[in-house]
Amino acid sequence: MLVVMQQGATEPQIQAVIDRLVEMGFNVHRSTGVIHTVLGGVGGKDDIDLGIFEVMDGVKEAVRIASPYKLASRNFRPGGTIVHVGDVDIGGKCVVVMAGPCSVESRDQIFAVAEVVARAGARVIRGGAFKPRSSPYSFQGLGEEGLRYLREAADHYGLKVVSEVMEIAQIRLVGEYADIFQVGARNMQNFNLLRELGKQRKPVLLKRGIAATIEELLLSAEYILSGGNYDVMLCERGIRTFETYTRNTMDISAIPVVHKLSHLPMVADPSHGTGRRDKVAPMARAALAAGADALILEVHQDPDHALSDGAQSLHPGQFEDLMRQLRAIAPVVDRTI
Ligand code: PEP
Ligand code: MN
């Protein structure tokens, strides 16, 4: 359930509601908005009398949340969430572009790509050091060495870092180098990993599983939020359908759907969403027009020799052209880049 406090409710009034919720067996999650403070009570009984809270001083209303996810629900933070990654805000008016290779392959490679993406206006560099590959014989990533190169290149060009964490044992290491933990599609329902990330105080980019519904994606986010880590971004990266022409089917409609259901920022990944370089720019433009708060794009200085996902990686020139187009589209949907 949620208790929405009146505008100007005092700290003692808020505290009294928190105490009451705790007394009734709820875990309390507080969202302090610009206008209203919202208290989310999770874990308590479903059938309590909402009137108990409605008569308390400073309370505007108490609502039972019917959806299975509570903290991910739009009701918890009607104004939306902005995830702060240092001085980069994701979920505000400015659309953030994250770009980089699928995998970190060498120091030279990541520096070359970092230069390209930073110059073109990306704020975050992506690059996997631990790679979830369909085949055990494919390149599995450089591990810590890759993370070190990624951090060095990011610092050199003033970028933030997003990199995938595949298991609990990697959290500490990835957290030492990355600004954002990426949870890959294959791990969207690795609930133990999600719970552990809920204990971290670092943003998480949670990708939609290849066969996951939007509700399942939001429930996975709930695992992280319920641990007290509210800095979660969701990512549409294409789902598995009967269509085989593209690698996945990019579900652009997930962007407005999630925005309606949830306060969490929505990231679009047209690289994995299509699997084909020539389809990435059209889908990136569509995602921006549909309201994406950020885009994550694979860019490689020599895609034809990439160690992973070369077919969907943009050439530097293609990325620069796309950035120019995105800048032209953004104002039409009241955004900037
Ligand atoms: C990636 O970002 O390179 C990746 C493996 O993504 P996904 O988990 O969406 O397949
Ligand atoms: Mn990839």
Side-chain angles (χ1 to χ4, degrees):
M1 64 171 299
L2 294 179
V3 181
V4 183
M5 301 303 294
Q6 284 166 357
Q7 185 168 5
T10 64
E11 257 329 293
Q13 288 171 338
I14 295 169
Q15 194 54 50
V17 176
I18 294 174
D19 292 345
R20 195 72 218 268
L21 282 163
V22 171
E23 205 180 287
M24 296 176 81
F26 287 97
N27 284 317
V28 183
H29 294 261
R30 175 177 177 162
S31 163
T32 310
V34 187
I35 301 174
H36 296 291
T37 290
V38 178
L39 301 171
V42 288
K45 281 203 279 177
D46 275 342
D47 57 351
I48 52 149
D49 176 8
L50 297 178
I52 296 172
F53 294 96
E54 280 163 350
V55 297
M56 291 181 76
D57 291 341
V59 171
K60 179 168 177 273
E61 58 178 339
V63 274
R64 216 182 300 280
I65 301 285
S67 66
Y69 45 86
K70 316 278 180 210
L71 304 174
S73 161
R74 170 64 69 175
N75 295 316
F76 183 56
R77 276 192 187 162
T81 284
I82 296 182
V83 172
H84 305 284
V85 187
D87 61 349
V88 177
D89 288 351
I90 299 159
K93 191 176 163 86
C94 186
V95 176
V96 171
V97 176
M98 312 180 187
C102 179
S103 308
V104 182
E105 298 170 7
S106 69
R107 191 171 183 280
D108 286 351
Q109 174 241 15
I110 199 70
F111 268 78
V113 179
E115 194 199 341
V116 168
V117 301
R119 190 165 16 91
R123 304 293 311 277
V124 180
I125 187 163
R126 61 147 292 144
F130 296 105
K131 296 303 303 179
R133 304 307 302 281
S134 299
S135 162
Y137 308 119
S138 300
F139 176 60
Q140 304 285 309
L142 292 183
E144 182 169 9
E145 188 188 352
L147 289 169
R148 203 166 51 239
Y149 298 152
L150 189 60
R151 183 77 256 170
E152 265 186 65
D155 289 345
H156 188 81
Y157 290 103
L159 299 165
K160 304 293 177 212
V161 166
V162 57
S163 199
E164 177 158 358
V165 56
M166 286 173 55
E167 51 169 302
I168 292 174
Q170 293 166 354
I171 292 179
R172 191 192 52 74
L173 188 63
V174 175
E176 271 175 36
Y177 295 95
D179 301 298
I180 304 169
F181 290 113
Q182 175 176 324
V183 176
R186 293 155 192 81
N187 265 320
M188 189 203 85
Q189 290 191 312
N190 181 339
F191 301 120
N192 292 331
L193 175 64
L194 300 178
R195 267 195 206 290
E196 215 43 49
L197 289 169
K199 296 180 194 158
Q200 308 298 311
R201 291 298 171 264
K202 188 167 270 221
V204 177
L205 172 72
L206 176 64
K207 294 185 121 190
R208 182 180 183 182
I210 60 169
T213 63
I214 290 171
E215 181 166 301
E216 286 165 340
L217 173 63
L218 293 170
L219 281 167
S220 288
E222 190 83 8
Y223 269 89
I224 305 171
L225 298 167
S226 62
N229 185 353
Y230 300 128
D231 290 326
V232 177
M233 297 164 256
L234 304 175
C235 179
E236 169 58 40
R237 48 78 71 206
I239 48 175
R240 185 70 58 90
T241 67
F242 50 79
E243 182 53 68
T244 54
Y245 186 82
T246 44
R247 178 180 176 186
N248 292 295
T249 297
M250 180 81 189
D251 181 8
I252 299 276
S253 67
I255 299 165
V257 171
V258 167
H259 276 154
K260 172 143 193 175
L261 297 176
S262 176
H263 55 88
L264 298 171
M266 195 58 184
V267 182
D269 175 352
S271 305
H272 295 86
T274 61
R276 288 168 168 250
R277 190 181 304 149
D278 59 329
K279 306 292 179 283
V280 171
M283 287 296 105
R285 298 191 295 257
L288 172 62
D293 300 294
L295 295 167
I296 184 163
L297 299 159
E298 288 187 340
V299 179
H300 197 285
Q301 85 290 0
D302 180 12
D304 295 334
H305 295 99
L307 296 184
S308 60
D309 286 350
Q312 66 193 37
S313 299
L314 298 175
H315 288 280
Q318 291 177 312
F319 180 66
E320 286 157 12
D321 288 346
L322 174 59
M323 287 299 287
R324 199 173 31 73
Q325 295 166 349
L326 295 174
R327 280 206 187 85
I329 294 170
V332 181
V333 286
D334 293 327
R335 307 296 283 262
T336 57
I337 285 211

